[in-house]
Amino acid sequence: RTRHIQYIMRTISSRSQISPNRQFRRHPIARRPLRRCAERKTTTSSDAGASKESSIQSESTDVTKSPYYRELSKDVDSIDATLLTNAPSDFFELLDLDLDDADVWASGDEDLVQTTVSKAFKKKLVISHPDVLLSKYEDASEEETNEFAVILNAAYKTLSDVQTREPYLNAVIDFRKHFFLEEETKFDGTPVSKWSGEEGETRAVFVDESVCIGCANCAQYASNTFSMESDFGRARVVDQWADDKETIEIAIDMCPVDCIWFVKRTQLAALEHCMKFCPREDPGIMGRRRGGNGGSQRAKVNPFCAAESFLKRFDENGELFGGKNPAGLSFSWHDERLASTIAKAWLSLPEEVRQKGWPDFKHKFNSFGIGGDSSVEDRTFLRTR
């Protein structure tokens, strides 16, 4: 590190002797070290008595003050978009009804459909009624049990009415295909990049490919962490923390357009998911715009804004069911917000109730060790429609 800083200072010193009329290409490695050194906390004489271990720990935990660090807004920090992979996310799953059962949903026999829905509803209500939960479980919350009862009533009302059942059924099929199966749009909360860092590490490395110009500096210097993807020729993180911290920081310093960031590990999956849908410009156009020689205006869509919008679609704050008559509430549509509301209410039930009322609910779980070995690709409801 000392030799690295000395090299930077020699570079800066040599540039100060160059004629102002002479044009030269700025070396990428001399881009941000001074900014980093200015913002990094240094040890003063008053800190001489502090131990080396405590100073290292302080530097590693105070990551938000790093010039490389960036996170999403506080409004979306608490939103968990992975609830849908761990819990029922629509009324059919909530009542444990098989959407693949064509003998029921495509029979045209309304009496059979009504009987099926009513039987499923009563079976769930017996074990999840607020009076039953509050009397049997001391830690049960009255507010949460009542909320689940309202949602359960809404499921029965929606599926027992032919006017709302058909549009809701079609909306659920589209939602499941989009969110769980289609390769380009599915999201299970798992980052695309491999994790090789320590379990206690709270940061991850992310490349904003909408800004990257494909210079390949990072991929050449920290080749274990970064790689050049073939579709757009941009840098991408393929293995988190596969290089040591100093090597990664120097690789970030070498980026001439500030497109590499440390981000929250919990936000990495959403950022990598939304990056797939962000436009990439031609590097020549980007260069012309930076040089003031024209070029189109930069696209306003970037992965950080897109990830915030994506997570806000899962924002569950009780407004869907607040102040409404539970007996008359029904839905003819389904989206991420309603799915999150259902999932959150189900997860608030005692674990014993969930295991007793939904014993076969491992088909929803993914193949990453959460709840079972079955993956969403094994679900057959998508193939019959």
Side-chain angles (χ1 to χ4, degrees), residues 9-25:
M9 297 305 297
R10 288 198 302 270
T11 303
I12 296 175
S13 177
S14 63
R15 288 178 182 176
S16 63
Q17 301 174 6
I18 297 176
S19 171
N21 297 326
R22 178 182 174 185
Q23 295 182 355
F24 59 90
R25 184 176 182 271

Side-chain angles (χ1 to χ4, degrees), residues 71-88:
E71 63 181 40
L72 304 181
S73 66
K74 302 297 183 182
D75 298 337
V76 301
D77 194 34
S78 60
I79 300 176
D80 185 4
T82 63
L83 291 178
L84 277 60
T85 61
N86 305 326

